[in-house]
Amino acid sequence: MNNNIAVIFYGPPGSGKGTQAKLLSDKLNLYLFDTGDFLRKIFSNPKFKNNKEIQAQKRLYNEGKLVSFEWVLKNVSQKVKELAKLDQSVVFSGSARSLFEAFGDNKHKGLVKILEEIFGKHNLYFFYLDISDEESIKRNSRRLICPTCKNALLAFASSMKNCPLCGDKIEHRSDDKKEIIVKRLKEYRQMTLPVIKELKKRKYKVIKIDGMPAPYKIFNKILNYF
Ligand code: AMP
């Protein structure tokens, strides 16, 4: 066990968990693991065009469903073990999103247990950014993103056509269509909220933060915990 920390951000789609995770990673020098970004990189890699397993996961992603819990857990826990060897603190956006991924079963060790063994329970922080369903739909259906550099501020710059940083064409994410956002929200309520409930029951540090204010205000609140 070491004195590094592991931080996990939760929240419905568009709550700003990716933004806050990135800010915290830059401020506190934490390794950032954004599961959504990790998956998007795999799904858009032409190398995997004929890989049946990856294409099946991509279809789930495009439908607004969570991808296979076992597949995600395998990839995430591999990454965490690499980080442990590097003696590095870590921040997650997008994992663990299901009870299986968080707590495992009798054959698999869940992410929470793995993190606890590496970092110690007192060094685990779970932030939960709270916004309404209406706000989630509003934010995501307006969201524009640069596929190359993913500058978070671009999400609000709806009049821009190209990224001012790298020049790539700004676009909507393939899963940011209204009907898909509704499905993602449903997945969040059904699969991810039970994880937060269980974490509280097991007495982990779960911190609820209002996700409505401007990102820098939320960030200042989060920094108070470190
Ligand atoms: P995000 O970028 O966090 O909004 O995630 C986008 C999509 O990636 C989700 O709707 C899921 O399809 C997939 N995803 C991200 N993280 C996970 C996870 N931990 N388990 C399963 N699917 C995930």
Side-chain angles (χ1 to χ4, degrees):
M1 218 170 281
N2 55 42
N3 281 324
N4 293 324
I5 57 169
V7 184
I8 293 187
F9 278 98
Y10 283 112
S15 57
K17 54 187 185 304
T19 303
Q20 295 301 328
K22 166 93 177 69
L23 287 170
L24 201 65
S25 130
D26 290 339
K27 184 82 178 176
L28 301 185
N29 208 11
L30 316 177
Y31 181 92
L32 171 63
F33 193 94
D34 184 320
T35 318
D37 270 349
F38 169 78
L39 296 173
R40 279 184 286 281
K41 279 199 184 103
I42 295 179
F43 296 156
S44 60
N45 189 340
K47 202 167 96 183
F48 300 126
K49 224 176 95 192
N50 296 319
N51 181 314
K52 281 195 182 140
E53 189 189 15
I54 291 180
Q55 292 309 313
Q57 303 303 334
K58 185 176 176 177
R59 276 193 292 280
L60 291 171
Y61 173 95
N62 281 334
E63 285 165 18
K65 296 193 181 131
L66 292 183
V67 308
S68 149
F69 307 151
E70 210 169 321
W71 188 68
V72 169
L73 181 59
K74 190 176 79 188
N75 283 292
V76 175
S77 40
Q78 198 176 316
K79 194 80 209 169
V80 172
K81 284 171 194 160
E82 284 168 24
L83 291 174
K85 286 190 199 136
L86 294 176
D87 195 19
Q88 170 84 52
S89 291
V90 61
V91 53
F92 292 93
S93 169
S95 269
R97 278 196 201 191
S98 62
L99 285 168
F100 174 79
E101 195 191 340
F103 303 108
D105 60 13
N106 45 15
K107 285 202 197 113
H108 305 82
K109 212 182 260 185
L111 181 63
V112 175
K113 183 84 191 149
I114 295 174
L115 293 177
E116 194 173 330
E117 283 174 5
I118 299 170
F119 297 94
K121 191 170 183 172
H122 61 290
N123 286 325
L124 304 188
Y125 297 80
F126 300 87
F127 286 97
Y128 163 38
L129 300 175
D130 190 31
I131 59 167
S132 65
D133 286 7
E134 296 71 40
E135 183 68 13
S136 169
I137 293 169
K138 194 171 95 187
R139 286 187 188 180
N140 283 282
S141 42
R142 287 180 185 171
R143 175 158 71 175
L144 291 160
I145 256 164
C146 168
T148 304
C149 61
K150 303 180 185 73
N151 186 337
L153 292 173
L154 289 174
F156 306 100
S158 55
S159 61
M160 287 184 187
K161 296 262 180 295
N162 290 81
C163 170
L165 210 61
C166 71
D168 204 355
K169 199 164 168 272
I170 297 170
E171 60 183 27
H172 279 284
R173 243 170 65 173
S174 63
D175 59 341
D176 272 349
K177 300 179 194 87
K178 189 175 173 203
E179 66 278 16
I180 305 292
I181 302 164
V182 171
K183 283 194 194 156
R184 284 162 61 202
L185 265 169
K186 205 169 145 210
E187 288 283 271
Y188 177 73
R189 305 249 168 257
Q190 285 180 352
M191 303 303 215
T192 310
L193 279 183
V195 178
I196 301 173
K197 227 170 147 184
E198 188 60 27
L199 285 165
K200 283 188 194 155
K201 209 168 119 193
R202 298 189 190 194
K203 304 266 183 282
Y204 286 92
K205 227 179 288 162
V206 180
I207 303 145
K208 183 174 172 179
I209 304 255
D210 178 10
M212 290 305 286
Y216 75 93
K217 291 188 180 162
I218 297 177
F219 186 50
N220 280 336
K221 274 196 187 155
I222 290 169
L223 282 181
N224 286 332
Y225 290 88
F226 299 98

